Every structure is written in structure tokens, then in C-alpha cells.
């Protein structure tokens, strides 16, 4: 079986810790088995491996999330990036064709599709195994996971099963879907025995590809990816699930939560106080997460979330945290912190002068053995000051060892790169020029030095 994990999201729901490049699934806030912390995507990957599912994992995502995935999961998963964000059907379609054309999977291969960020337990993966068995024995063309509702939610779609007895795998056939109903309709649907749609699907690769081929079919993945815009911008539910003729659903009645708001996440954090925080005696039911290198103090408040990061500061009542996305949707600031495949960077300062000249200061940390690509900038110069660790610095093809206290001057148009040796390498980067944009970069192969 092949398992496709969907990693998307706009990065707004857990602002200011999340942003377009650091969506909620990459925040290392959950408690790990060793007592440390882990992210949602690391947790779900760990659970899949432990579950015993016999599957390879491929993550369908956008280019902005590729580096955080590589940083957190390394080479344990395959990654397929969409050229542009077009909704879940195109992303799944592209990944299905990658499985067929690049990985060489046969058309009768069973494909499971699921989100990368549910907070769940072992039985969730047992249901996926049962779903795969039902598709494999032909009981249904497509099988969904139905989450047993806990309350009359208006935020989820509902799956309405046929009346009757489930088969040996616990599968019921599906009669219809209702997308995000009113509160009264949700109550009525639950009374009928409807389930929440948990966004988990199992289908044969050939069946999935047949939906893709209605729009585009190529003999190479590169050609198909170049025609990505020919795929409709539509959800998988609308394009595939609602068109399928033989649908099944298998219920899951265990722990399942969508940690998509600060209120929901706060109930699952490893600690209600993270970072440099001073809590007064008269604070009740508050969650405070501080990523800044300055203290946050709280006193005389209750039922609130305080979150501070280089991207901003949030103070919000927990019961209002689902409204954050609406307020921050219009923010156009660049991310001030990013996790890359080679390490992390944090923006310390940015200034634009009246004549248009700009300067930006970052602190950059490379993981041991990792490097920044051999590159050139056409609109900015850079000065790097090494503050910790040792590395190899290359400037216009000439390499030398560098360490704490070394200052590296890089002019506009000079080729440069740096690689950490056997420990983390940290340096301060000061950019100067105009415009200062991430796109001002041209990459080359590392020289033989």
C-alpha cells in the first residue's frame, strides 16, 4: 500500500507561530515519547511506522513546505510538490501520477490518502488497514473513514451511511454527503447515524488515475507537472468522492481531534507555559507560548492564549481563537522565522531608507554537516559574522576554514557557500541593497575544491 499524506494549509490558524512557510503541522509543541517535543507531522509519521501498516509514505505539499518536511523527516518519506496551490484534487492527482510514472506503482496498488495533522491514536491506523482490505477485496470502489461525532459540529462534512448491518470489516455503504450543515441539520444528521468526514480515503491507483486522465494524461511526470494548471481547482471530495458510484465508510470511534485553533491545541500542549514566561498568582486557565528572547509576563487574566514570535504577538480569549485566520488573512509581511532543510533562520531587523536602499539582519544556524547552496545575488551584498561553530566557506571557488569571530564579506555577483562541519554553525548575516527579496538568488553546483 502507498500512503499519501496531505500537507497544506495557509499557516494562519496558529498565528503568530505559524506562517505560510511554517504551517501548524511543523510546530514542535506536542509531547514526544522521550519527554521532549515533536510536531504534528513528526507525531503522525511516528504513529504510522509504529502501527504496522505496510506502506511507503509520500507527502503531497507545496514548495514552501518542502524544506520543513526535509528538516523534520529527512529521507524517511518521499515528497511531491505542486507547482502552485490548486486545492486537494490536483495535489492528490499529481502525487498519484508520480507514484505511477516515477515510482512505478502498478494500477492495482492500494492508495490511502489522509491529512498529516490529526491528533489521534493507534486504532485510527487499524481502521485504515480495514479500509484497504475492503478496497482490495472489491467491497467498494472508494472507502472513507467516518469519525463518530462528539457534538453537533457545523465545521465538518457529514457522511450518511445506508441502514443495515456492516460487513466483516465494519464497512457500511454510503448514501449521501452533507457539507458543513447548520447546527439543527447537524443534530438531525447525527440522529440518522451520520459520521464526520475525517478526510481519509482509500482507493486503487488505477481508479484514482482514471479521474486524472479525464483532464490530462502524459507519459512522463515532468510533462504532466508542466500541465498542472489543466487540472481543475477543486477539492478531492467534490471531484472524486461525490462522483464515485460504489462508496463505503468504516467508522472510527477513538481519539480524533483537529488541532486547528489555539483553544484546541492548548489542551494537548506538553506544557501550558513554553518559553521565557512569568506567570502571576492570579492567572487562571491561560496558555502562553513565547519564542522571543525577552520575557512575557501575565497577571490577572483567565481563559486566554498569549503567543509571541518574531512574526507578531497574539493575546486572545480561547473561545475566540477560531477567528484569528479572519484577522491575519490580510497580513503581507515576510516570515520572520523559517525552518529549512539545512537549519533555521530568524530575521532580527529590517530597515528601508527614504532613497529605497534596504538592509536586513538575520541569524542563521546550519545543522552539523549541512550547507547553504553555492549561490550568487544580483541585487545585494552580504556580510557574515560567524558566532559559533566551524565550517568551510567558499568564495568564487576558493575554500577556507572559518570559525567564531571570522567576518566574511560577499560582494554583489560573487559566488559563495558555507558548510557546517561536525557541530552547529551559527552566523549573523547582514544584507544590503535593493530589492531585498528571497528570489534574488541563482544557484550552482558545488565546485570541486
Amino acid at each position: 500500500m502507498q500512503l499519501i499524506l496531505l500537507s497544506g494549509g495557509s499557516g494562519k490558524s496558529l498565528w503568530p507561530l505559524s506562517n505560510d512557510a511554517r504551517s501548524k503541522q511543523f510546530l514542535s509543541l506536542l509531547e514526544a515519547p522521550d519527554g521532549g517535543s515533536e510536531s504534528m507531522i513528526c507525531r503522525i509519521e511516528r504513529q504510522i511506522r509504529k502501527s504496522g501498516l505496510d506502506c511507503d509514505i509520500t507527502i503531497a505539499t507545496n514548495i514552501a513546505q518542502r524544506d520543513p518536511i526535509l528538516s523534520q523527516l529527512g529521507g524517511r518519506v518521499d515528497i511531491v510538490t505542486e507547482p502552485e496551490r490548486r486545492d486537494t484534487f490536483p495535489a492528490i492527482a499529481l502525487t498519484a501520477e508520480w507514484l505511477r510514472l516515477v515510482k512505478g506503482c502498478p494500477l492495482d496498488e492500494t492508495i490511502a490518502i489522509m491529512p498529516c495533522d490529526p491528533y489521534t491514536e493507534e486504532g485510527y491506523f487499524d481502521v485504515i488497514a480495514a479500509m484497504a482490505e475492503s478496497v482490495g477485496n472489491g467491497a467498494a470502489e472508494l472507502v472513507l473513514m467516518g469519525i463518530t461525532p462528539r457534538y453537533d459540529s457545523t465545521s465538518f462534512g457529514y457522511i450518511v451511511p445506508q441502514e443495515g448491518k456492516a460487513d466483516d470489516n465494519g464497512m457500511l455503504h454510503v448514501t449521501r454527503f452533507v457539507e458543513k450543515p447548520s447546527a439543527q441539520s447537524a443534530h438531525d444528521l447525527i440522529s440518522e447515524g451520520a459520521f464526520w468526514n475525517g478526510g481519509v480515503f482509500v482507493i486503487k491507483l488505477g481508479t484514482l488515475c482514471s479521474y486524472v486522465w479525464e483532464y490530462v494524461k502524459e507519459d512522463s511526470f515532468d510533462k504532466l507537472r508542466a500541465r498542472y494548471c489543466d487540472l481543475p481547482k477543486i477539492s478531492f471530495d467534490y471531484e472524486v468522492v461525490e462522483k464515485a458510484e460504489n462508496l463505503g465508510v468504516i467508522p472510527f470511534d477513538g481519539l480524533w481531534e483537529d488541532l486547528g485553533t489555539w483553544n484546541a491545541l492548548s489542551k494537548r500542549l506538553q506544557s501550558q507555559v513554553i518559553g521565557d514566561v512569568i506567570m502571576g498568582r492570579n492567572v487562571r486557565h491561560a496558555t502562553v507560548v513565547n519564542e522571543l528572547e525577552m520575557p512575557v509576563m501575565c497577571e490577572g487574566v483567565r481563559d486566554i492564549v498569549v503567543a509571541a514570535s518574531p512574526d507578531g504577538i497574539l493575546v486572545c480569549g480561547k473561545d475566540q481563537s477560531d477567528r484569528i485566520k479572519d484577522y491575519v488573512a490580510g497580513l503581507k509581511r515576510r516570515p520572520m522565522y523559517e525552518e529549512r532543510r539545512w537549519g533555521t533562520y530568524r530575521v532580527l531587523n529590517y530597515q528601508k531608507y527614504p532613497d529605497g536602499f534596504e538592509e536586513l539582519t538575520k541569524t542563521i544556524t546550519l545543522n552539523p554537516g549541512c550547507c547553504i547552496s553555492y549561490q550568487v545575488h544580483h541585487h545585494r551584498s552580504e556580510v557574515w559574522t560567524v558566532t559559533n561553530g566551524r565550517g568551510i566557506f567558499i568564495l568564487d571557488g576558493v575554500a577556507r576554514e572559518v570559525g567564531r569571530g571570522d567576518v566574511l564579506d560577499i560582494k554583489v555577483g560573487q559566488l559563495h557557500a558555507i558548510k557546517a562541519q561536525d557541530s552547529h554553525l551559527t552566523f549573523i548575516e547582514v544584507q544590503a541593497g535593493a530589492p531585498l527579496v528571497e528570489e534574488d538568488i541563482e544557484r550552482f553546483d558545488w565546485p570541486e575544491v
Side-chain angles (χ1 to χ4, degrees), residues 70-344:
L70 285 171
S71 175
Q72 296 195 12
L73 300 180
R76 301 195 300 272
V77 299
D78 293 313
I79 302 172
V80 176
T81 58
E82 53 181 344
E84 60 181 79
R85 295 184 178 182
R86 293 189 65 79
D87 218 325
T88 52
F89 171 68
I92 292 169
L94 185 71
T95 308
E97 287 290 76
W98 182 88
L99 292 172
R100 179 179 73 93
L101 295 168
V102 178
K103 196 160 186 176
C105 295
L107 293 179
D108 62 353
E109 181 92 50
T110 302
I111 309 296
I113 304 160
M114 61 171 284
C116 71
D117 55 3
Y119 191 88
T120 189
E121 61 188 4
E122 182 179 345
Y124 182 91
F125 305 97
D126 295 336
V127 171
I128 292 178
M131 294 164 66
E133 186 173 337
S134 291
V135 169
N137 63 27
E141 172 186 314
L142 190 156
V143 178
L144 301 89
M145 181 184 292
I147 308 297
T148 300
R150 304 288 189 264
Y151 53 91
D152 302 343
S153 173
T154 60
S155 300
F156 300 117
Y158 284 74
I159 305 168
V160 183
Q162 289 181 2
E163 293 184 6
K165 185 179 179 181
D167 68 11
D168 291 342
N169 277 328
M171 192 192 83
L172 297 160
H173 285 281
V174 175
T175 60
R176 72 184 196 278
F177 301 90
V178 180
E179 184 64 24
K180 296 182 179 179
S182 66
Q184 182 58 53
S185 296
H187 179 81
D188 295 340
L189 286 165
I190 293 173
S191 298
E192 290 182 49
F195 304 105
W196 288 341
N197 184 352
V200 184
F201 318 97
V202 176
I203 190 171
K204 286 291 184 71
L205 179 60
T207 306
L208 179 53
C209 287
S210 68
Y211 288 92
V212 182
W213 297 339
E214 292 180 15
Y215 300 98
V216 57
K217 186 176 183 180
E218 292 288 354
D219 58 4
S220 82
F221 180 71
D222 289 340
K223 291 179 183 178
L224 184 135
R225 196 171 189 275
R227 295 182 59 190
Y228 191 65
C229 61
D230 290 344
L231 294 168
K233 193 174 184 179
I234 191 171
S235 74
F236 186 81
D237 294 76
Y238 288 137
E239 181 61 28
V240 177
V241 177
E242 295 193 3
K243 291 181 179 179
E245 296 181 355
N246 184 11
L247 281 170
V249 59
I250 298 181
F252 172 60
D253 192 27
L255 172 64
W256 181 89
E257 295 179 20
D258 176 14
L259 304 184
T261 68
W262 274 110
N263 189 25
L265 178 62
S266 66
K267 299 171 185 176
R268 296 296 178 182
L269 291 179
Q270 59 175 326
S271 172
Q272 294 302 299
V273 177
I274 299 174
D276 190 353
V277 178
I278 303 169
M279 297 291 275
R281 295 181 179 179
N282 298 308
V283 177
R284 299 290 183 271
H285 310 299
T287 300
V288 187
V289 181
N290 182 18
E291 291 189 331
L292 300 177
E293 296 179 356
M294 60 183 71
V296 169
M297 179 176 180
C298 296
E299 176 61 295
V301 294
R302 62 181 302 143
D303 297 318
I304 69 166
V305 172
V306 178
S309 85
D311 282 338
I313 297 173
L314 168 74
V315 180
C316 179
K318 288 185 177 181
D319 62 348
Q320 298 296 311
S321 64
D322 60 343
R323 302 176 63 187
I324 290 172
K325 291 179 70 173
D326 298 333
Y327 289 111
V328 302
L331 294 178
K332 301 300 181 184
R333 295 185 65 197
R334 60 169 293 157
M336 304 295 280
Y337 174 89
E338 287 196 45
E339 184 176 359
R340 297 291 185 88
R341 65 189 184 281
W342 39 258
T344 61

Side-chain angles (χ1 to χ4, degrees), residues 346-366:
R346 185 187 302 270
V347 176
L348 302 177
N349 183 63
Y350 168 75
Q351 183 72 42
K352 186 172 184 178
Y353 297 97
D355 63 356
F357 190 80
E358 300 172 76
E359 63 92 1
L360 183 143
T361 304
K362 292 179 178 179
T363 178
I364 297 174
T365 298
L366 300 182

